[in-house]
Amino acid sequence: MKKRRRNRINPLTLIIINAVIPIVTMIFPSDKSIILGLCLGYIALFIADKYKTAFKSALWLGVGVLIYMINVLYLHSSVLGAMLKMTMCFLPCILIAILIVTDYNSSEILSALQRLHLPKIFIIGLTVTIRYIPTFRREFLIIKQAMHIRGVRFSVLHPLRTFEYLLVPQLFRCVSLSSELTAAGLTKGIASDQKRTSYFADNFHKVDYILFVFGTIGLIVIVGGFV
């Protein structure tokens, strides 16, 4: 059984941060907002002991920054610069989304979303979507392995063959798995009109307040720079 950490980030904290970061970046577009998002994303990864994910993403971030600097100094391509900057803007959301998907189960996510008093149909749809991501990845690897056994190689150079042997089976599996996920949710009483209780504690802890305080201070600095 996986041991649960004592100072574990509340999933609601991650959901709120992941919703606020794009809004701040859109309203106050600047390097400060990107840095704030990256700092929050990496702090969350380090608290969750996701050092491997943090290291890999830091390498890709370094490559992206290097290409961006080369573009600014030598290439002067507005399209490439815009694409790289957009990628950096979305990277914090991707980091936190990876943490939500890999470190929390559907019951924890559902319980956290219920505290926001959102429409139930939205909560159910979002929870199923989040939990389907690792399932999709697992099914993708299974189909890719089946292609390898049959002597068919996955290659972007042959899109028609890839579509036939990879995407078509994946689409059929999506339909089947969506029915299974719906049945599993109904069995757990997800469609009940009664208020849903949770086995998991949903209180905020010290690490949650640290993230909120750090994010608030960063937001004040960003807004102050625009004012």
Side-chain angles (χ1 to χ4, degrees), residues 10-13 15-16 107-119 123 195-196 198 200-205 208-209 212:
N10 192 307
L12 183 58
T13 302
I15 293 171
I16 292 174
S107 298
E108 291 176 293
I109 297 172
L110 185 60
S111 178
L113 290 172
Q114 284 184 151
R115 296 183 62 186
L116 297 176
H117 302 287
L118 298 172
I123 294 175
K195 184 178 179 180
R196 186 178 181 274
S198 177
F200 303 97
D202 55 0
N203 298 325
F204 290 113
H205 301 286
D208 300 295
Y209 293 114
F212 282 133

Side-chain angles (χ1 to χ4, degrees), residues 26-46:
M26 180 177 62
I27 299 176
F28 306 103
S30 66
D31 293 338
K32 292 180 180 179
S33 59
I34 296 176
I35 294 173
L36 174 62
L38 290 172
C39 289
L40 290 173
Y42 280 109
I43 289 173
L45 288 178
F46 281 116

Side-chain angles (χ1 to χ4, degrees), residues 130-149:
I130 292 174
R131 292 312 307 162
Y132 185 74
I133 294 175
T135 304
F136 181 87
R137 180 176 180 274
R138 184 169 60 250
E139 292 295 326
F140 178 85
L141 294 176
I142 292 174
I143 295 174
K144 190 176 178 181
Q145 186 178 9
M147 291 175 58
H148 179 72
I149 294 174

Side-chain angles (χ1 to χ4, degrees), residues 138-194:
R138 184 169 60 250
E139 292 295 326
F140 178 85
L141 294 176
I142 292 174
I143 295 174
K144 190 176 178 181
Q145 186 178 9
M147 291 175 58
H148 179 72
I149 294 174
R150 297 173 61 183
V152 180
R153 293 186 177 182
F154 174 78
S155 175
V156 294
L157 300 178
H158 304 282
L160 294 179
R161 187 176 64 181
T162 301
F163 179 82
E164 179 182 358
Y165 288 99
L166 181 64
L167 295 183
V168 173
Q170 183 66 63
L171 291 175
F172 278 98
R173 286 296 297 161
C174 287
V175 175
S176 176
L177 289 171
S178 62
S179 300
E180 295 176 5
L181 288 172
T182 302
L186 293 174
T187 303
K188 294 180 179 180
I190 199 171
S192 175
D193 295 331
Q194 301 295 324

